[in-house]
Amino acid sequence: MTSQMLLELDLTKYGLGIIANLVMGALSAVVSRRVVMLVPLFGYLIRCVIIFLVVFLALDVNWLFAGYAVDGIMGSVNGIYFATYLYTSEITSRDKSRTLALAILESVKGAVTAAVYVVTGQLIQHTGYNWPAILSAACTLLAVVLAFALPPRPPRPSPTAVTKSSPLLPTPVEGYWDKMKTPFKQGRQKGLTALVTLACLAFFLDRISDFMVAKVRTLYVMNQPFCWSSSQIGWFDSGTQMACYLFTMVSVCLFARYLSGGVSVAIPAVLSAAGGHCVYAFATDDIELYAAPVLGMSSSLSSCLLRGETSRALGPQAQGPWFAVIAVIESLSFTLGTPALAVYRASLGFFRGLVFLIAAGLLLCEIFLLLAFQLKWRKFISRKGQTIVVPSATEDPDPKE
């Protein structure tokens, strides 16, 4: 399978995932959290089964597009993350413990991904593709069973959701769009729209810079003067991810204990990550390559804090649309980060580290957005009892607020 086909499969998955996550975010106010979690899990399970059939029966590899398309239509991996973040936000209080819980989820995801890289590589090397395909489907099936076992969480509809003029299920196009705009609606809360917009812009720059580096780094270290083997690259990527998410979890734990909130601690972290990209850009030997992840292991801290601290500022009806917006931004960032490969190939003749410098520049722009977010957040969070929709007398208020 060529790298071009892998790219096309990912674009199919993430492109369709943008639409799916928009729809699930809009429906999150009227469907249970278990359903929101099961839909993308079933899509991922179908994809795993199709991959197994293609491998086991030696089918044409173009059948993989069917699996990736179904996965994308049902939300894909970002839809699973959206569902788990949403569920977690509803079982945690509206303080720093929510940010900590979301960061732990993010760190577990990163640690598992790092382990999977190594295990999958070893299995393919020693047993071929059958066992990795079987284990992938089995693990996804186990995740489906665990989702059924989760305590039920009913949806939190808006107090104005069931009226003659505002139906429970959103009508096509306008209705879905109105639901997804919930986190951006200012209402009586001064500064909310600006706060959420800054969070989205900063999150987008953080993710697209990360995807750009991830797409180019493998080719970068495989070529001269480094000429790394696939095994060396696998261990390097796994160690980098493990260190990154371990750093994030420890940092957020300290943040939750000693700091008052916001994203101020992410500013030096982003600056350090930008320095790591610059080291990649100008590296000439293996020692410098190993030094780059040391500076860059703080790269996921910003996204964790933006996700959690913005969730704290939003009321219960906005949690679903907010995490759906985050999932859409991640899918969009992957899609827009794809041209980094073309930039890398075009820059080989004069400066092959150009993509890393562009990624560092995006992170420097993110720092200014984080500064603005921090100032807005401090003003906003100081007001007690902030919610997107003020609960009516008959509505069950958020028990955790």
Side-chain angles (χ1 to χ4, degrees):
M1 181 179 294
T2 65
S3 59
Q4 180 63 31
M5 186 174 184
L6 287 172
L7 178 60
E8 291 172 358
L9 288 170
D10 281 337
L11 288 176
T12 300
K13 176 181 66 176
Y14 286 109
L16 293 173
I18 292 174
I19 301 172
N21 287 312
L22 282 171
V23 174
M24 290 307 296
L27 293 177
S28 63
V30 294
V31 297
S32 72
R33 303 309 176 226
R34 184 178 291 163
V35 172
V36 173
M37 191 173 296
L38 285 172
V39 168
L41 278 172
F42 274 118
Y44 194 83
L45 178 61
I46 292 171
R47 170 188 154 191
C48 291
V49 170
I50 290 178
I51 291 175
F52 168 73
L53 292 176
V54 169
V55 172
F56 187 73
L57 301 177
L59 301 176
D60 190 309
V61 292
N62 286 317
W63 278 103
L64 293 175
F65 283 101
Y68 276 71
V70 171
D71 184 28
I73 290 171
M74 300 182 75
S76 190
V77 175
N78 286 330
I80 299 172
Y81 297 153
F82 151 59
T84 54
Y85 292 142
L86 175 58
Y87 192 94
T88 302
S89 72
E90 294 198 344
I91 60 174
T92 53
S93 57
R94 205 170 156 185
D95 53 24
K96 289 180 290 185
S97 64
R98 178 179 297 179
T99 302
L100 177 59
L102 294 175
I104 291 173
L105 272 180
E106 182 80 5
S107 300
V108 169
K109 178 192 80 173
V112 170
T113 301
V116 166
Y117 282 154
V118 175
V119 172
T120 302
Q122 295 298 317
L123 282 174
I124 291 174
Q125 184 176 351
H126 292 94
T127 68
Y129 290 91
N130 285 338
W131 275 108
I134 292 172
L135 290 176
S136 178
C139 289
T140 307
L141 182 60
L142 177 60
V144 171
V145 173
L146 291 175
F148 272 111
L150 286 173
R153 294 290 302 181
R156 290 183 174 276
S158 167
T160 59
V162 187
T163 65
K164 292 182 180 180
S165 61
S166 178
L168 184 63
L169 289 175
T171 55
V173 185
E174 293 87 353
Y176 288 112
W177 179 242
D178 286 341
K179 293 288 185 183
M180 289 304 298
K181 289 191 297 184
T182 304
F184 300 90
K185 292 179 180 178
Q186 183 164 309
R188 296 187 299 175
Q189 302 170 99
K190 186 178 179 181
L192 176 65
T193 301
L195 183 76
V196 177
T197 302
L198 286 169
C200 290
L201 291 174
F203 191 89
F204 173 73
L205 292 181
D206 187 84
R207 293 293 84 202
I208 195 171
S209 65
D210 186 64
F211 282 130
M212 288 174 66
V213 169
K215 283 182 176 296
V216 168
R217 186 171 56 198
T218 298
L219 291 175
Y220 186 73
V221 299
M222 285 177 67
N223 293 326
Q224 294 182 350
F226 311 111
C227 301
W228 282 13
S229 66
S230 58
S231 176
Q232 188 176 6
I233 293 172
W235 283 106
F236 179 78
D237 286 343
S238 297
T240 298
Q241 284 220 15
M242 194 72 74
C244 175
Y245 287 103
L246 179 62
F247 176 88
T248 296
M249 187 158 59
V250 172
S251 298
V252 176
C253 288
L254 295 174
F255 159 85
R257 183 174 180 85
Y258 297 109
L259 298 179
S260 58
V263 296
S264 57
V265 70
I267 295 173
V270 171
L271 185 61
S272 178
H277 293 340
C278 291
V279 172
Y280 275 125
F282 295 102
T284 57
D285 56 42
D286 288 5
I287 295 177
E288 292 173 347
L289 283 182
Y290 285 118
V294 176
L295 288 172
M297 63 181 173
S298 60
S299 59
S300 66
L301 182 59
S302 172
S303 59
C304 284
L305 292 179
L306 285 168
R307 183 186 289 113
E309 295 300 275
T310 306
S311 173
R312 287 179 58 194
L314 299 174
Q317 296 84 21
Q319 297 301 316
W322 165 242
F323 290 115
V325 166
I326 288 296
V328 169
I329 290 175
E330 290 201 277
S331 297
L332 187 62
S333 299
F334 180 92
T335 304
L336 296 179
T338 302
L341 290 171
V343 174
Y344 172 71
R345 294 189 185 101
S347 64
L348 288 175
F350 59 94
F351 181 59
R352 59 193 185 83
L354 179 61
V355 171
F356 296 99
L357 289 185
I358 294 174
L362 293 175
L363 291 182
L364 292 178
C365 293
E366 182 191 354
I367 289 175
F368 292 102
L369 294 174
L370 291 174
L371 286 169
F373 178 91
Q374 179 66 16
L375 294 175
K376 289 283 185 182
W377 188 90
R378 295 298 300 175
K379 292 179 181 178
F380 185 85
I381 211 69
S382 62
R383 305 186 184 100
K384 303 297 183 182
Q386 293 275 28
T387 55
I388 295 297
V389 179
V390 178
S392 64
T394 59
E395 183 187 8
D396 181 27
D398 188 353
K400 298 295 183 181
E401 291 188 29

